[in-house]
Amino acid sequence: MPQRVRDVSWPARLARVEERLAQLERTGWERDELPLYATTFTAMPFSDSTSFSTLLENTFTPRTASLALGLTFVGDQVAGVNTGGEWQVLLAGAVVWSGLVAATYTVQYAVTTLDLLPYRGATELLIQIQTRRTAGANTGGRNGNGGSIGLSPRFARFA
């Protein structure tokens, strides 16, 4: 059986390395994802409360310097009245990111990168995503308390 002699020349070795690098770039990079668990039993967590309530959470050990987070929000509409509200992200009980849900009954997207360096010494870090209703109908809706704020995570990646 014939045996192949490997080419040990510098240009040939460089060409093989470049081909392997190009193959890796075509396949993409794998990233660590952080799952966020819903605190309700619905497909898309929602809250019609007028005080902040946790809809998504997880406890994790910070392994990297940052967490890229993408969220989706939508208000409700009850009897022609649009629901608006607020949302906030907490790390270890402290608000690190917040925003508004417009009372326009449209889907809104929010993206940021959270700094995990202050929490690197922690063995367990609780992340919570909370919403509350601030405008809209006061009656009707799914639970009779008026409209609700829907929340869905798009991604949560360690960066």
Side-chain angles (χ1 to χ4, degrees):
M1 194 162 181
Q3 292 188 4
R4 182 173 173 215
V5 177
R6 295 183 82 177
D7 190 359
V8 293
S9 70
W10 170 250
R13 288 179 27 208
L14 180 61
R16 279 196 308 271
V17 169
E18 286 178 342
E19 176 57 34
R20 287 181 186 166
L21 178 62
Q23 183 181 7
L24 286 172
E25 288 175 345
R26 284 191 298 268
T27 60
W29 296 92
E30 290 185 20
R31 297 183 180 186
D32 287 335
E33 295 279 338
L34 175 69
L36 295 170
Y37 301 106
T39 59
T40 63
F41 296 109
T42 58
M44 181 177 191
F46 68 92
S47 174
D48 58 6
S49 175
T50 55
S51 60
F52 279 110
S53 58
T54 301
L55 298 181
L56 296 169
E57 66 182 5
N58 194 358
T59 302
F60 66 99
T61 302
R63 299 183 311 249
T64 61
S66 59
L67 175 68
L69 188 60
L71 303 173
T72 304
F73 299 95
V74 65
D76 199 356
Q77 189 177 63
V78 176
V81 178
N82 292 328
T83 302
E86 296 176 308
W87 56 269
Q88 61 186 16
V89 176
L90 289 82
L91 283 176
V95 176
V96 294
W97 187 36
S98 62
L100 300 174
V101 178
T104 58
Y105 195 54
T106 57
V107 176
Q108 296 173 263
Y109 302 100
V111 177
T112 194
T113 301
L114 302 175
D115 183 16
L116 298 179
L117 287 177
Y119 309 98
R120 288 293 297 254
T123 57
E124 290 184 349
L125 181 61
L126 175 64
I127 183 170
Q128 297 172 293
I129 304 171
Q130 301 178 336
T131 64
R132 74 173 177 177
R133 179 174 55 90
T134 58
N138 293 323
T139 60
R142 183 173 185 160
N143 297 322
N145 300 326
S148 58
I149 303 297
L151 163 66
S152 178
R154 291 178 35 224
F155 59 86
R157 293 185 202 106
F158 291 108

